[in-house]
Amino acid sequence: MARITIIGGGVIGLSIAFECQRRGHNVTVVEAQQCGGQASGAAAGMLAPYSEIEEDPDDFFRLCQRSLQLFPKWQEEIKRHSDIDFEYNESGSLYCIYHEADRLSLETKQAWQRKFNVESTILSAEEVRVKEPGLSRDVVAALWCPEESHIYAPGYVAALLQACRNLGVHVIEYVGDATLDGYAVVTKQERIESDQVVLAAGAWSMYWEKELGCTLPVYPIRGQICAYEAPPLNHIVFTSQGYLVAKANGSVVAGASEDIADFDTNVTEHGIGRLEKWSKKVMPVLEKMDPFHKWAGLRPATQDGFPLIGKLIKKPGVILATGHYRNGILLSPITAKIVADEIDQVPQQIAIGQFRPDRFQAI
Ligand code: GLY
């Protein structure tokens, strides 16, 4: 049994804490502010790698796909251990196009994803209307991915936190700054001796560069998002410009911008204005509506777009689990499994070499 201290109480830190504690370790989570108070709680909760990943398959695609496959059982376990129900909707998705010229890109996406047994169908305009009558008549076709789903992120994070507490994880919030002394995590209040330290601080991970003596090119990219009180959609709806997703609380969420604003989580007129303009074109009923809620979160982006997951070669008592960018919610179960397997020295069943946290060091 190892003493594990996790720095960061977002969805990644809490998922790792849950997995490690239930495997018999003694876990402490140290959170600078409130658990789930940043990007994790702000997310739209998309579990949609087939729509969101444009590139050809690589280890990152496989990582996302594996995590999507883990979700049905994973979310049940979180519900069971927390005794909190939260929305998990296996809605499927529609990736809509407005121009015949874009059909080829749908076909290309479908062709390479088929090699990975991804189920999808290209629907005609009429078929899209049957599935989703509220969408614009300008949609000419859509790629239907029935396996994609979504989750209510604030509910998921609250349940994860409760599940951790119920299992006996020691969660310390509002610690402010912390430092590392050997493998002890030192806060203003206490010194937490650890066998293993996990850095899961999302967009704030770069502040640990000096402590860890390594280059951590993780940057905050703001995602602005808004929600309408609107009739529900049956699927997650994507276009090349964004996504719409209906939640069980009666909201339709429109996301999301990508802009650089340092650590500013305010929304801007420009950011939300673009989303409004776009969403009204996709779903005409929104035309006469104003969003009732607007917010933003900071996604942890990395220099090469891939997360940092694994042990630091020069400091093997430290494992990094950060830089999940647009996919933190989706990648939470697989990241928890990978980190727990590293700690338990169980061989990885999935290629993680591309995510080595030391890959940015000068040689
Ligand atoms: N994965 C959705 C977003 O980052 O906006």
Side-chain angles (χ1 to χ4, degrees):
M1 185 176 80
R3 295 165 303 169
I4 302 168
T5 303
I6 299 171
I7 299 166
V11 71
I12 297 294
L14 292 174
S15 296
I16 295 166
F18 173 76
E19 184 64 22
C20 290
Q21 186 80 22
R22 72 174 173 160
R23 290 191 190 189
H25 296 293
N26 186 354
V27 182
T28 301
V29 173
V30 170
E31 164 57 42
Q33 297 295 323
Q34 186 187 2
C35 284
Q38 295 291 344
S40 309
M46 227 75 67
L47 308 175
Y50 307 142
S51 299
E52 294 208 287
I53 298 178
E54 297 294 336
E55 291 79 19
D56 283 350
D58 54 14
D59 288 347
F60 183 63
F61 174 76
R62 283 169 234 251
L63 186 77
C64 291
Q65 183 177 36
R66 185 71 198 114
S67 209
L68 178 68
Q69 290 162 349
L70 292 177
F71 241 101
K73 190 153 175 252
W74 171 260
Q75 58 87 30
E76 265 174 23
E77 311 234 311
I78 305 298
K79 285 175 179 165
R80 185 164 66 81
H81 283 281
S82 64
D83 215 9
I84 294 178
D85 198 9
F86 53 85
E87 182 184 5
Y88 168 68
N89 188 336
E90 293 179 320
S91 61
S93 67
L94 293 172
Y95 194 106
C96 300
I97 57 164
Y98 286 76
H99 306 286
E100 278 302 330
D102 292 329
R103 191 179 286 271
L104 187 61
S105 70
L106 286 192
E107 287 170 0
T108 307
K109 196 191 253 270
Q110 185 184 41
W112 71 257
Q113 291 189 351
R114 272 214 175 125
K115 293 189 191 136
F116 294 85
N117 300 317
V118 178
E119 202 188 323
S120 67
T121 311
I122 295 182
L123 304 180
S124 66
E126 293 70 35
E127 288 168 326
V128 174
R129 271 194 272 289
V130 171
K131 283 203 167 294
E132 206 62 85
L135 292 187
S136 159
R137 301 244 142 200
D138 294 336
V139 172
V140 297
L143 186 66
W144 173 40
C145 287
E147 294 164 34
E148 294 196 315
S149 46
H150 64 95
I151 202 160
Y152 182 60
Y156 172 44
V157 179
L160 260 175
L161 176 59
Q162 191 57 50
C164 284
R165 286 196 162 123
N166 291 351
L167 283 173
V169 173
H170 184 207
V171 180
I172 317 172
E173 297 180 285
Y174 300 104
V175 299
D177 292 338
T179 53
L180 211 54
D181 180 16
Y183 292 131
V185 176
V186 183
T187 72
K188 283 190 195 85
Q189 293 80 20
E190 57 195 304
R191 180 184 169 89
I192 307 157
E193 300 294 343
S194 322
D195 304 308
Q196 195 78 58
V197 174
V198 180
L199 178 66
W204 287 262
S205 300
M206 59 155 85
Y207 290 123
W208 288 83
E209 273 192 334
K210 229 165 132 193
E211 289 288 318
L212 299 177
C214 68
T215 310
L216 291 179
V218 183
Y219 312 104
I221 299 287
R222 183 168 59 182
Q224 299 185 47
I225 196 160
C226 64
Y228 299 88
E229 267 174 48
L233 291 162
N234 305 316
H235 307 79
I236 312 170
V237 173
F238 287 94
T239 78
S240 60
Q241 304 297 307
Y243 53 80
L244 289 171
V245 57
K247 297 293 176 183
N249 63 9
S251 64
V252 171
V253 175
S257 75
E258 280 185 5
D259 63 338
I260 298 171
D262 203 19
F263 286 90
D264 183 355
T265 53
N266 288 305
V267 295
T268 64
E269 221 171 282
H270 179 70
I272 297 293
R274 188 196 69 78
L275 276 180
E276 283 192 58
K277 209 167 145 194
W278 164 80
S279 55
K280 287 168 201 281
K281 275 197 191 141
V282 180
M283 195 179 171
V285 73
L286 302 180
E287 261 162 32
K288 291 192 179 63
M289 294 184 187
D290 289 323
F292 73 96
H293 187 30
K294 306 166 188 178
W295 70 102
L298 300 171
R299 306 181 184 96
T302 60
Q303 197 170 305
D304 60 5
F306 298 124
L308 306 172
I309 310 175
K311 278 190 180 163
L312 287 179
I313 292 167
K314 287 193 185 149
K315 237 184 193 320
V318 175
I319 296 181
L320 264 58
T322 185
H324 292 73
Y325 192 38
R326 295 186 67 109
N327 293 291
I329 302 283
L330 171 65
L331 291 174
S332 52
I334 192 74
T335 305
K337 183 172 169 6
I338 290 170
V339 172
D341 284 350
E342 285 281 287
I343 291 169
D344 291 343
Q345 296 180 343
V346 174
Q348 297 293 343
Q349 286 160 7
I350 187 159
I352 58 166
Q354 208 170 356
F355 317 125
R356 276 183 308 105
D358 309 87
R359 66 187 183 272
F360 300 104
Q361 309 315 307
I363 298 163

